[in-house]
Amino acid sequence: MEGLKRAAVFCILICNGSFLLLKRSKEPNKGKLVPPGGKIEPFESPNDAVIREVKEETGLEINDITLCGILTETSPTSYNWISYIYVAHIQHTIIENCDEGEFHWVHKTNLPDIDTPPTDMYIYQFVAEEKQFIFNALFDQTLTMLEMTDELSGQILFKKENPIK
């Protein structure tokens, strides 16, 4: 049904202060740097899905993962997601590119300078501070983020001034 939330997982892979990110070759977020991940398959737990997705996209077998938060994205378009966000610490390695895009190691000090979805900088900040989160992000019909709130603290992290209706 149109507008129903789709479930996904993402895993922030970290090694010595650097994040392994995928420059997407497909929509959504084509051209942006994102953590590896994807849709949760029918009858699959989020934990199993993140292990599978990381293996499919990077070739890495991860087992020591930590759920750090949940991101809910809501828009009046077909872009509506609930994403489970995990972290795994790994050894530095060269990762072959996959059909989803090209992998890049990005040091945490360079994260503010990369092209990434607007929600992700807040995720990286909370991950760096080892704070759990439940983020609720609202978008308009052009997928411009209007507001983002951390439901655990009630803190409004972002609010677009004068949104176009």
Side-chain angles (χ1 to χ4, degrees):
M1 277 178 82
E2 188 70 25
L4 288 181
K5 298 280 190 262
R6 295 165 68 183
V9 292
F10 292 95
C11 192
I12 300 169
L13 300 170
I14 302 174
C15 178
N16 298 325
S18 290
F19 291 51
L20 183 63
L21 300 175
L22 176 71
K23 184 172 184 180
R24 287 198 46 89
S25 60
K26 303 175 181 179
E27 292 296 345
N29 298 313
K30 184 177 181 179
K32 297 187 183 298
L33 288 161
V34 300
K39 297 179 199 94
I40 299 174
E41 299 291 335
F43 312 108
E44 186 176 46
S45 73
N47 193 71
D48 290 343
V50 76
I51 291 168
R52 177 187 53 75
E53 284 287 345
V54 168
K55 174 75 172 164
E56 287 177 2
E57 292 183 6
T58 69
L60 297 173
E61 292 193 27
I62 57 169
N63 295 307
D64 189 16
I65 57 175
T66 303
L67 176 66
C68 55
I70 297 173
L71 169 65
T72 302
E73 297 171 289
T74 304
S75 81
T77 71
S78 61
Y79 192 80
N80 287 277
W81 294 92
I82 296 174
S83 299
Y84 295 81
I85 313 297
Y86 291 84
V87 171
H89 293 273
I90 63 170
Q91 297 296 316
H92 192 278
T93 185
I94 304 295
I95 304 294
E96 296 291 323
N97 296 329
C98 68
D99 64 344
E100 300 284 334
E102 300 173 0
F103 283 100
H104 300 272
W105 283 101
V106 179
H107 193 269
K108 63 184 175 184
T109 57
N110 295 327
L111 288 172
D113 302 322
I114 65 171
D115 189 13
T116 192
T119 54
D120 290 17
M121 284 304 162
Y122 298 98
I123 291 169
Y124 300 146
Q125 178 183 345
F126 273 62
V127 166
E129 296 171 6
E130 297 183 0
K131 291 170 45 179
Q132 291 189 320
F133 58 87
I134 299 177
F135 290 159
N136 184 21
L138 301 175
F139 295 84
D140 68 11
Q141 64 278 4
T142 66
L143 299 183
T144 299
M145 190 164 72
L146 301 177
E147 184 174 302
M148 187 149 132
T149 305
D150 176 32
E151 299 294 331
L152 289 178
S153 68
Q155 179 184 10
I156 297 174
L157 303 170
F158 175 83
K159 186 160 181 85
K160 182 172 171 63
E161 299 299 322
N162 305 317
I164 299 172
K165 304 269 182 194

